[in-house]
Amino acid sequence: MKMPKNNHAIGLFDSGVGGLTVLKEVIRALPKENIVYFADTARIPYGEKSRETIIRFSIENTIFLLEQNIKMLVVPCNTATAHAIDKLHQIFNIPIIGVVEPGAKKAVSVTKNGRIAVLGTRGTIKSGIYQREIKKRLPEAEVIAISCPLFVPLVEERMLSHPVTKLVIQEYLTPLKKASVDTLLLGCTHYPLLRKAIQEFMGEDVTIVDSASTCAEEVLLTLSHEKLHCDGQNDPKHHYYVSDDPQKFQQLGSEFLESPLTSVSLKVD
Ligand code: DGL
C-alpha cells in the first residue's frame, strides 16, 4: 500500500554533521515527523568551493532525497543555501527552506543599534546573501561580514575550548569589538558549537543568534500551511545517509545532535 504523502519524511542535506544543529531544532519543534538526512561527507567542505560546484552538489543531493520520498526539503547548510537555494526553488516542485532568511530575520529582530556581525564560510560571505537579506529587512543596518575558514576544522576536531581556537577567535573577531556590534549571527552550521568561546571573547553585551530555531519554526509553519503534517500514528523514523565513512558520522553526529544516531547508511551510487 502506498504511504500517504503526509507521512513522507522531511529531507535535509548538508556537507556533513553540521546541519544536525538545525535538525535538532526541527526534531524539537516537530517530534512526530519522519526524517531523512543526507551528509555529503565525501565532498565536505562546501565552504571553500565555487558556486557552480555547490549548485551541482545541491541538485544531486536533492534528487537523492526525492528518491527517498521526501515531502519537503530543508537546507541547513549556509553555503548551499547561499549559492543554490534559488536554483533549487526553480527546479523542484516541493516546499524548500534554507537557513539564510530565518537567520537574517532573527538577527534583525534582536539588534538594537543596527550593527550586526555575520560569520560564515568564505563561500557564504562572498555571496553577500546575508548582507542583502539583513538590509532588505533593515535598510539602515550596518552589516560586518567575516569569513572564518578555520572554525569548521576546529569544530570537526572537537577543539571547542582549546587555546588554539581561542587564538583563532581573537584573530577573526577583534575587528568586531571596534565596530560596536550588538548582534552576532552565526551563519554556518558548525559555529553554534563555538558559541560559548565566541561569547566569552565578545562579552555579554553582544547577543549571539543562529538560524536553527527560526528555521525550525518556518518548517512548522510551512507544514501547517501546506497541510503536510505527519499523522503521528507510528513512531517517527530518523534515517541518515552519508557519502563516506558512516562510522565517523555516527560518532561525531551523535555529539552534534546530543542523542545517539542509530540508523546510518552509506549512499551507493
Ligand atoms: N555546512 C557548511 C555551512 O554551513 C559548513 C561546512 C562546510 O564548509 O562544508 O556553510
Side-chain angles (χ1 to χ4, degrees):
M1 207 176 66
K2 250 178 103 184
M3 187 198 272
K5 188 162 179 207
N6 285 50
N7 291 346
H8 289 186
I10 299 173
L12 302 92
F13 75 80
D14 182 34
S15 51
V17 287
L20 297 173
T21 55
V22 175
L23 177 60
K24 194 163 68 181
E25 294 301 325
V26 171
I27 294 173
R28 207 197 304 267
L30 293 155
K32 292 182 179 154
E33 295 294 333
N34 296 312
I35 302 286
V36 180
Y37 180 102
F38 172 58
D40 197 3
T41 44
R43 305 193 285 197
I44 193 176
Y46 278 13
E48 300 296 308
K49 296 193 170 70
S50 72
R51 179 180 172 78
E52 292 67 31
T53 300
I54 298 305
I55 289 177
R56 178 164 57 84
F57 289 176
S58 299
I59 293 172
E60 288 168 7
N61 297 346
T62 306
I63 291 172
F64 171 71
L65 287 169
L66 283 168
E67 286 164 1
Q68 315 311 311
N69 272 336
I70 59 166
K71 60 183 174 186
M72 81 175 287
L73 174 71
V74 181
V75 184
C77 178
N78 290 257
T79 309
T81 302
H83 290 316
I85 202 85
D86 290 344
K87 198 77 187 167
L88 297 179
H89 277 298
Q90 277 167 24
I91 300 176
F92 299 104
N93 189 21
I94 52 165
I96 300 176
I97 292 181
V99 272
V100 171
E101 284 193 30
K105 249 188 228 169
K106 178 87 183 188
V108 165
S109 74
V110 160
T111 186
K112 292 198 173 64
N113 70 3
R115 302 178 71 81
I116 300 171
V118 180
L119 311 183
T121 63
R122 267 203 193 101
T124 300
I125 299 302
K126 224 168 93 190
S127 77
I129 191 168
Y130 270 114
Q131 296 90 317
R132 284 194 298 280
E133 289 297 329
I134 290 171
K135 288 227 169 236
K136 211 157 83 183
R137 291 167 173 81
L138 186 68
E140 67 275 22
E142 181 90 31
V143 184
I144 297 117
I146 298 184
S147 57
C148 307
L150 290 173
F151 280 0
V152 168
L154 287 168
V155 170
E156 293 267 333
E157 291 301 323
R158 311 299 296 152
M159 292 167 71
L160 305 183
S161 53
H162 193 280
V164 168
T165 307
K166 290 187 179 163
L167 261 182
V168 174
I169 289 175
Q170 187 185 336
E171 174 68 21
Y172 286 147
L173 305 192
T174 295
L176 294 182
K177 287 217 161 170
K178 294 181 192 129
S180 322
V181 297
D182 74 347
T183 304
L184 187 153
L185 171 59
L186 303 174
C188 173
T189 47
H190 285 60
Y191 300 178
L193 280 96
L194 295 175
R195 183 188 292 260
K196 195 163 162 260
I198 293 173
Q199 186 83 67
E200 259 168 38
F201 178 75
M202 292 303 297
E204 290 304 319
D205 292 344
V206 174
T207 306
I208 299 183
V209 295
D210 63 52
S211 46
S213 58
T214 332
C215 177
E217 278 162 32
E218 221 137 288
V219 177
L220 194 152
L221 283 177
T222 305
L223 287 187
S224 304
H225 185 254
E226 303 282 330
K227 300 195 173 44
L228 274 178
H229 281 288
C230 173
D231 65 20
Q233 303 209 336
N234 298 310
D235 286 343
K237 290 194 183 66
H238 296 175
H239 195 81
Y240 302 85
Y241 289 94
V242 294
S243 47
D244 192 25
D245 203 342
Q247 227 177 344
K248 182 176 173 212
F249 178 83
Q250 190 158 17
Q251 209 175 2
L252 195 57
S254 303
E255 288 180 42
F256 268 70
L257 198 62
E258 292 171 335
S259 123
L261 296 184
T262 44
S263 174
V264 183
S265 326
L266 186 64
K267 166 184 177 268
V268 271
D269 292 313

